[in-house]
Amino acid sequence: MFNTIIGKDISAAKKFLEGGEAVGIPTETVYGLAANALNEDAVLKIFSVKNRPHFDPLIVHTHSKDEIKKYVEEIPETAEKLINAFMPGPVTVLLKKKNNIPDLVTSGLDNVAIRIPNHALTLELLRQLSFPLAAPSANPFGYISPTTSYHVFDQLQGRIPYILDGGSTEVGVESTIVGFEDGEAFVYRLGGLAIEDIEKVIGKVKINLNESSNPKSPGMLKSHYAPKKSLKIVDFENSRMEIQSEKIGVIAFNKYVEGIDEKNQILLSPLGNLNEAAKNLFTAMRKLDASDVHEILAVKFPDEGLGRAINDRLKRASS
Ligand code: TXA
Ligand code: MG
């Protein structure tokens, strides 16, 4: 058991990480649960703190393109374009790993998932460390990802020594995961970097989101990112539905659902901005999960920009 501290002290976080502990860190997407990616004992702590199965590999975080080169065999041209255009940023690339990355980090896969998070505190921390950080989202396996240091504290207090506090995360949903095969790019997880932006740089990409188990991205389980209460997605564009219970909570884009108490409804972006909606999604899910509503209705978002990542998370939360 630890007496978990929340603070903004990079040197404290550094000290714990150098000592082989797991520490909460902010990124622009969601908070991570980080440990020395090159130290198997430290990485094992991540799995045990999160209750995460070992078949679900971890993303490696570093601070520069030169650092990425230390851990991967090669960077295909398409990957290089993405790295140059969007890193640091909310995107992760799958590249053939070098032997210095332990198999535990990649769950035995040949590729390592690697990214440069766009958060000033964490970038500075990474520059000061002599090793990269393996970090999944800092939530118990299967639950909603944390977007503030308090979310991390709520769920992991006592299990880790330190949470580096970098405020609320800017993007709010996890990074977009992209892999490469024979010059083609495949998106394995929709996330904080919109497909439209990726396609401006590398042309059409294939989207390969496996619903149940995905050998390319084993963590993309059908049920994930889930609140404890039942969550249903409704599409008011295509159907009108009768709403029965008084104890229904709603997550919607910019318009309240008629017939449901507005105090139980959360609009993710009253002005209709999908980036703002993504930023607010997980906090809204947590709020309704902790409130006295019995179930949660989520109104389907427009399938464009970050709306696609939002719909993906809602779908997994509803499974
Ligand atoms: O935004 C993010 O990506 C956050 C922040 C903390 O960086 N991290 C995150 O990690 O969402 P996690 O572990 O919750 O999700 C990582 C996903 C999992 O679905 C995992 O299966 C997949 O990435 N993944 C990791 N390594 C992989 C690999 N070598 N090959 C394929 N998929 C991989
Ligand atoms: Mg996660």
Side-chain angles (χ1 to χ4, degrees):
M1 279 292 276
F2 293 99
N3 182 10
T4 307
I5 297 165
I6 302 183
K8 295 180 188 296
D9 184 358
I10 291 179
S11 56
K14 179 169 181 250
K15 202 186 74 201
F16 286 118
L17 290 163
E18 286 172 344
E21 298 297 344
V23 162
I25 58 162
T27 81
E28 81 281 38
T29 57
V30 300
Y31 273 71
L33 178 64
N36 180 349
L38 309 181
N39 173 343
E40 297 208 13
D41 290 332
V43 173
L44 278 172
K45 287 188 187 160
I46 295 176
F47 286 100
S48 73
V49 166
K50 266 191 73 118
N51 269 325
R52 181 174 173 121
H54 287 202
F55 63 74
D56 193 1
L58 306 176
I59 296 176
V60 170
H61 297 66
T62 185
H63 61 84
S64 71
K65 192 167 136 192
D66 283 342
E67 284 294 309
I68 292 180
K69 288 182 186 151
K70 291 187 188 168
Y71 307 109
V72 307
E73 289 289 351
E74 52 171 353
I75 303 182
E77 204 187 314
T78 322
E80 178 124 29
K81 282 187 188 159
L82 276 187
I83 292 170
N84 290 339
F86 299 116
M87 289 197 192
V91 62
T92 295
V93 290
L94 302 178
L95 299 172
K96 193 163 185 324
K97 81 176 190 75
K98 280 190 177 151
N99 282 337
N100 52 8
I101 297 291
D103 286 332
L104 183 62
V105 170
T106 63
S107 303
L109 297 172
D110 290 339
N111 285 332
V112 59
I114 196 156
R115 84 180 196 93
I116 305 175
N118 191 14
H119 191 290
L121 266 188
T122 292
L123 280 174
E124 184 50 35
L125 172 66
L126 286 164
R127 279 186 214 107
Q128 291 186 19
L129 291 168
S130 61
F131 47 81
L133 293 173
S137 50
N139 49 283
F141 186 68
Y143 194 67
I144 306 164
S145 295
T147 53
T148 69
S149 57
Y150 303 102
H151 294 164
V152 182
F153 186 84
D154 259 359
Q155 292 185 302
L156 301 183
Q157 84 183 94
R159 316 191 74 172
I160 52 176
Y162 198 77
I163 302 166
L164 187 62
D165 178 14
S168 303
T169 61
E170 254 325 291
V171 175
V173 291
E174 300 82 351
S175 59
T176 303
I177 300 181
V178 188
F180 310 90
E181 255 167 68
D182 307 323
E184 273 193 295
F186 294 83
V187 170
Y188 294 111
R189 176 173 75 181
L190 296 169
L193 181 61
I195 301 292
E196 292 89 333
D197 291 333
I198 292 177
E199 290 188 332
K200 275 180 212 148
V201 173
I202 59 171
K204 265 274 172 252
V205 295
K206 298 212 164 101
I207 297 178
N208 187 355
L209 314 170
N210 206 310
E211 300 280 284
S212 48
S213 70
N214 183 343
K216 286 275 162 35
S217 200
M220 293 302 287
L221 300 176
K222 190 168 181 210
S223 166
H224 215 76
Y225 312 102
K228 300 195 175 77
K229 285 175 188 157
S230 120
L231 183 147
K232 278 201 199 94
I233 303 175
V234 288
D235 184 351
F236 287 108
E237 299 286 310
N238 300 325
S239 67
R240 291 246 39 116
M241 54 169 295
E242 288 300 314
I243 290 150
Q244 310 282 351
S245 161
E246 309 217 301
K247 286 288 176 197
I248 289 182
V250 170
I251 292 176
F253 186 20
N254 54 358
K255 281 195 282 301
Y256 288 113
V257 174
E258 277 172 46
I260 296 183
D261 195 343
E262 286 185 11
K263 83 170 186 349
N264 292 335
Q265 301 200 47
I266 300 178
L267 300 184
L268 297 189
S269 175
L271 295 177
N273 177 316
L274 285 169
N275 295 352
E276 182 183 38
K279 181 177 155 89
N280 293 327
L281 174 66
F282 289 151
T283 298
M285 278 165 62
R286 277 174 193 263
K287 251 193 203 145
L288 291 177
D289 213 16
S291 75
D292 61 357
V293 303
H294 295 169
E295 60 174 319
I296 303 167
L297 281 189
V299 186
K300 192 171 180 290
F301 281 67
D303 248 322
E304 62 190 33
L306 294 201
R308 299 174 71 166
I310 296 174
N311 285 331
D312 173 87
R313 299 304 185 271
L314 289 173
K315 208 157 105 199
R316 288 175 207 280
S318 72
S319 287

